[in-house]
Amino acid sequence: MADDEVGNDSADQEAETDLTRWIGWLDKYMADLPALPGEKALDFCEAAGDLWQRALTEQPPKPDSAAALVLLEVAKNFAQVMMAAALDERVTRDAAQASLLGALEGVRNDARSWLDNEAPTAEAIAARVEAVKATFKQAQDAAANRIAEDEADDEYARAHPYGAILGYQDPAVEADIIFTQVCEFTEDDHNRYAEAYDRLKRQLDQDLFSYVSDMSDSFIDVVCSVLREIQDQTFSLSNMEEPHKRIRRIRSALIAFTSAVHSHQDQTLYQVKQKFGDGSDEHLAVKKLFNDIYSDCFAYRWLIELRHMMLHVNMDAFTVSMTARLHSDATIELGMSRYWMSKSSGVMKKAYKRTELEAMTEDPSVLDMIKDLQPAFGPLQDEIDAIMYPAAEVAEDAATVRELIKRFNGRRGLYALQTGPGFTRRYRTPSFSQLDPRVLSFADQYETSEQGT
């Protein structure tokens, strides 16, 4: 009997020593966690698992002992943290580390209480082992279910990649913008909406008339700015360098404007040729419009010729004369030099242009030419648009885009077309094509104008 008691005491002492050693290991394990490699949560969890595995391999505890239970509890906790990280990519390395340390603190407290009081019995250890195994099984089942749900969600998302996406802000959510799918589209609906939207967008983006108008405004702004400087005596006209700086600024602005007029013709002809074909009825009709305005509009014809002379022959084809007056307003006179225009082969080889130039009694005013161009240029653009964008086609595309707008149910925010699978845990925000508010507004305004006619 005494020998049995001695044997039991020896076994208890050995178990206590083993538990003490593994509690010490747990202290060091927890202290080493912050230094483990891995920027992502999963990488950190794998490193924590490797560290645990090395300790178990070097000197494993006695099976079914309190020390073995400690190691099993450690394994359970980093496995749970790893599972959480695997199921949610938003879990950071720091969050995973903090979660694991918090759980291990509980394991260590339990182990220390066994030293201070009494270690659990073999039956209690066995029950705890079974409980840990059950926890592992629950985690595995939850992971399997989550993976199955994710696969189903992803499969559905891949089969339904189109829809209306709304981007909006919510003060209660810490995000610059939140994206949500308002509704799904069939592939046919997506293509119908996207094609109508793209045609309207191209029409607005190719608004070369606005480009010409903007350059005209810029030219006038430069002239007015220089005129104010003369009036305010910002510089002296007797200092030749100062007037020349302003003359260069005005000439550059005129080149920009006349080049815009020239580009309007070139790019319009290119666009109509690309859309309808070289030599098509539409192409020939637009060419005739440009030929007609060149023949019928003095301002258009000579601004085109003036641009050619300034770019290819001599900048002095455009004259600038500045006058400052003591008791009246300053003036700037902008002219087209008849002398330099007579040096143009493109002018002098054409009888009607040569005759017209020789009949001029003074250099024409460029400001008058720009003013006279405006009432002719607007109707020209209207006729071009009628050919390039037939009203029936534009009306149909505008109606289609209005239908698209209604799919957003009046919600305000960023409108977009979804172009790929998304809005699942793994796909998250899908690829999308943002809708330009200008195009959406154009469709609404087109509807209003049509109803009003």
Side-chain angles (χ1 to χ4, degrees):
M1 186 67 177
D3 290 341
D4 291 340
E5 291 178 355
V6 171
N8 289 336
D9 289 343
S10 176
D12 291 344
Q13 184 64 41
E14 182 180 350
E16 184 176 331
T17 301
D18 200 28
L19 179 57
T20 300
R21 181 172 68 84
W22 281 105
I23 291 174
W25 169 85
L26 181 55
D27 288 337
K28 186 174 187 307
Y29 181 80
M30 293 173 65
D32 289 343
L33 288 180
L36 290 180
E39 294 182 1
K40 296 183 178 180
L42 278 178
D43 295 334
F44 163 74
C45 290
E46 289 177 1
D50 291 341
L51 188 61
W52 177 88
Q53 184 66 43
R54 286 199 299 272
L56 186 65
T57 302
E58 292 171 0
Q59 191 176 353
K62 182 179 178 181
D64 301 327
S65 66
L69 182 57
V70 170
L71 261 70
L72 189 59
E73 290 280 4
V74 171
K76 179 196 74 172
N77 282 291
F78 73 65
Q80 288 176 325
V81 173
M82 176 179 284
M83 190 65 67
L87 294 176
D88 190 347
E89 295 178 357
R90 292 171 296 180
V91 176
T92 64
R93 152 68 191 259
D94 289 344
Q97 179 179 302
S99 178
L100 181 54
L101 284 171
L104 295 182
E105 187 65 37
V107 175
R108 182 167 60 181
N109 290 339
D110 283 347
R112 286 174 175 172
S113 71
W114 297 338
L115 289 178
D116 295 338
N117 300 307
E118 183 177 354
T121 64
E123 291 78 8
I125 291 173
R128 290 281 291 270
V129 169
E130 290 303 317
V132 171
K133 289 180 179 178
T135 301
F136 268 119
K137 180 64 167 59
Q138 290 173 356
Q140 289 174 338
D141 291 345
N145 291 337
R146 184 61 178 270
I147 290 171
E149 291 174 1
D150 285 345
E151 288 296 338
D153 289 345
D154 291 347
E155 183 178 356
Y156 184 90
R158 288 191 292 270
H160 301 81
Y162 305 114
I165 291 181
L166 177 74
Y168 65 99
Q169 293 179 320
D170 185 345
V173 178
E174 292 185 2
D176 292 335
I177 189 168
I178 304 166
F179 291 99
T180 185
Q181 186 190 67
V182 178
C183 63
E184 295 180 0
F185 296 156
T186 64
E187 184 175 1
D188 287 344
D189 277 345
H190 170 81
N191 291 337
R192 186 165 59 89
Y193 292 143
E195 289 167 4
Y197 169 84
D198 286 343
R199 283 190 291 267
L200 292 183
K201 188 173 188 302
R202 282 197 298 272
Q203 179 178 345
L204 295 180
D205 288 346
Q206 294 169 357
D207 187 2
L208 297 168
F209 175 81
S210 293
Y211 175 55
V212 174
S213 179
D214 290 344
M215 291 300 100
S216 174
D217 291 344
S218 295
F219 172 71
I220 299 301
D221 287 345
V222 170
V223 174
C224 290
S225 174
V226 172
L227 187 59
R228 282 193 298 270
E229 289 182 332
I230 300 172
Q231 188 71 36
D232 297 341
Q233 298 182 357
T234 303
F235 66 96
S236 171
L237 292 177
S238 61
N239 180 355
M240 297 303 294
E241 180 58 28
E242 292 300 320
H244 286 162
K245 286 181 181 178
R246 276 72 179 180
I247 290 172
R248 289 195 298 270
R249 192 191 309 165
I250 294 173
R251 282 174 170 167
S252 296
L254 181 65
I255 287 177
F257 166 65
T258 54
S259 293
V261 175
H262 189 269
S263 295
H264 173 270
Q265 180 177 149
D266 284 351
Q267 292 189 32
T268 299
L269 289 172
Y270 174 80
Q271 289 166 10
V272 71
K273 185 167 61 177
Q274 289 296 111
K275 183 174 182 178
F276 298 104
D278 190 5
S280 63
D281 290 343
E282 293 82 2
H283 183 213
L284 295 177
V286 173
K287 286 181 68 174
K288 184 176 185 304
L289 290 176
F290 282 113
N291 289 336
D292 288 347
I293 192 173
Y294 185 90
S295 299
D296 300 340
C297 181
F298 175 92
Y300 186 88
R301 176 168 61 255
W302 288 103
L303 285 171
I304 290 289
E305 295 297 338
L306 178 58
R307 168 194 172 273
H308 175 81
M309 286 299 296
M310 292 178 70
L311 287 178
H312 303 294
V313 181
N314 196 299
M315 294 289 286
D316 289 335
F318 172 51
T319 62
V320 180
S321 176
M322 305 176 185
T323 303
R325 294 184 173 89
L326 185 60
H327 300 294
S328 60
D329 293 338
T331 61
I332 294 181
E333 294 182 3
L334 309 176
M336 180 186 75
S337 169
R338 290 171 293 160
Y339 169 78
W340 280 109
M341 296 307 294
S342 69
K343 304 300 180 183
S344 168
S345 58
V347 170
M348 302 310 288
K349 287 182 179 179
K350 295 290 184 179
Y352 77 98
K353 286 189 286 186
R354 181 178 66 250
T355 300
E356 184 175 33
L357 179 66
E358 291 174 346
M360 296 177 188
T361 59
E362 59 182 2
D363 290 349
S365 166
V366 171
L367 287 176
D368 287 344
M369 292 162 67
I370 293 175
K371 182 176 68 174
D372 293 342
L373 176 64
Q374 293 173 350
F377 208 74
L380 168 68
Q381 188 63 51
D382 291 339
E383 292 183 89
I384 291 171
D385 288 344
I387 296 171
M388 287 285 293
Y389 310 105
E393 292 182 9
V394 176
E396 183 178 355
D397 286 339
T400 301
V401 172
R402 290 196 301 274
E403 179 187 329
L404 168 61
I405 294 171
K406 290 178 181 178
R407 302 295 293 270
F408 287 88
N409 301 321
R411 298 182 64 179
R412 303 179 71 85
L414 179 153
Y415 285 11
L417 288 177
Q418 183 176 337
T419 56
F423 297 112
T424 69
R425 190 182 65 84
R426 288 185 286 195
Y427 280 129
R428 299 188 179 279
T429 302
S431 58
F432 62 85
S433 175
Q434 183 175 343
L435 299 175
D436 190 334
R438 293 179 310 128
V439 181
L440 305 182
S441 177
F442 175 83
D444 277 339
Q445 292 173 0
Y446 194 89
E447 178 185 31
T448 301
S449 64
E450 287 296 295
Q451 290 177 346
T453 57

